[in-house]
Amino acid sequence: MLDANRSGTAPTSPPAATPAPPAAPAPPPATTSSLLAAAPGPVLTPAGPGAVAVPVLSRTGWAVRCTRLLLSPYARLSLLLALLAGGAAGVLVCEPQRLLTHGWPPQLGGAAAALVFAAAYGLCTVVFVPRPLLNLAAGAMFGSQVGLATALAGTVLGAGVAFGLGRALGQDALRPLLRGRWLKAADGQLSRHGFRSMLALRLFPGVPFWAANYCAAVSRMGPLPFLLATALGSIPNTAAYAVAGARASAPTSPAFLIAMACVALPALAGTVVAWRKRHRLRAG
């Protein structure tokens, strides 16, 4: 102190402390009204003074959940099975085989009858009615040429409907189930060599028509090669059955016998080829 006065300088004072910023106000306690305001949808109004309001899903949320449930793979597969079961039951009730015994309705004739038969043919093949019976019926009712054209139109129509239903309603649910060696090999053949594989299935009958349709739908085969192979590969077999149906009244005629031979020989050849290729298919 004395030294500072002698030197003529004023004593230095310590620096003043910086004041602390004011503390942020505490948030108000959560109340029922604030919780209800933050809820994403409508809420249940409390019934009494002691009840607590509970938020519920909005109509949009329920619609989204229902849409996802209806469009799920297994829901679509269930719809496909229900449609096929309903169609098969309708065939059993309507008994289309009565057309062979009672004849075609008199009010239908010519091109109209052929169109109606082709549409009925296609729908029947979707629900597992055997094509040979339908081909024989086409030949018996319309003759060889018109019966062949009508049966081929119904064949392509039925194959397209079955392929579309299987692809839209069953592919997503059934593809994860392709775990066996044979199933994977068949799926690989149809996916990589779709046209060639389907043409062979149609030319050499052995696999049921409906089974080939739904197998192709579950695979990654394109619709255009499938329909083209079906149309070309079904001509020989369909023509043989149509001729046999048209000549059914004379089972000993050369035309009927040749038609039956054309039916039996491809089936036998297909069996032999499948037996010889079984090891390659199993290894694939």
Side-chain angles (χ1 to χ4, degrees), residues 113-158:
L115 291 176
V116 172
F117 183 85
Y121 184 112
L123 296 178
C124 288
T125 58
V126 173
V127 292
F128 319 128
V129 176
R131 283 185 63 248
L133 298 178
L134 299 172
N135 293 333
L136 290 172
M141 290 189 295
F142 300 103
S144 300
Q145 298 179 356
V146 179
L148 172 60
T150 304
L152 280 178
T155 297
V156 176
L157 175 63

Side-chain angles (χ1 to χ4, degrees), residues 269-281:
T271 303
V272 173
V273 171
W275 178 260
R276 296 185 61 181
K277 298 294 184 180
R278 71 188 187 280
H279 298 296
R280 181 180 300 178
L281 181 63

Side-chain angles (χ1 to χ4, degrees), residues 39 77 104 112 137 144 161 168 174 202 207 209 219 240 253 258-259 277:
L77 179 61
W104 194 255
S144 300
V161 172
L174 294 178
R202 301 308 192 194
V207 179
F209 182 75
S219 71
S253 62
I258 293 175
K277 298 294 184 180

Side-chain angles (χ1 to χ4, degrees), residues 212-239:
N213 294 338
Y214 292 113
C215 288
V218 174
S219 71
R220 293 187 175 90
M221 182 180 182
L224 185 58
F226 169 77
L227 293 177
L228 185 59
T230 297
L232 295 178
S234 300
I235 292 177
N237 186 266
T238 305

Side-chain angles (χ1 to χ4, degrees), residues 92-222:
L92 293 177
V93 171
C94 296
E95 297 181 357
Q97 66 272 14
R98 290 184 300 177
L99 293 175
L100 296 178
T101 58
H102 300 286
W104 194 255
Q107 60 269 22
L108 288 177
L115 291 176
V116 172
F117 183 85
Y121 184 112
L123 296 178
C124 288
T125 58
V126 173
V127 292
F128 319 128
V129 176
R131 283 185 63 248
L133 298 178
L134 299 172
N135 293 333
L136 290 172
M141 290 189 295
F142 300 103
S144 300
Q145 298 179 356
V146 179
L148 172 60
T150 304
L152 280 178
T155 297
V156 176
L157 175 63
V161 172
F163 185 88
L165 289 176
R167 179 62 58 89
L169 301 179
Q171 186 187 43
D172 293 338
L174 294 178
R175 280 204 66 82
L177 303 179
L178 300 177
R179 299 176 182 176
R181 182 181 301 176
W182 284 69
L183 293 177
K184 288 184 177 180
D187 176 67
Q189 285 292 326
L190 291 175
S191 300
R192 294 190 301 268
H193 312 288
F195 178 81
R196 184 177 64 187
S197 300
M198 187 54 57
L199 185 64
L201 288 176
R202 301 308 192 194
L203 286 174
F204 303 104
V207 179
F209 182 75
W210 58 269
N213 294 338
Y214 292 113
C215 288
V218 174
S219 71
R220 293 187 175 90
M221 182 180 182

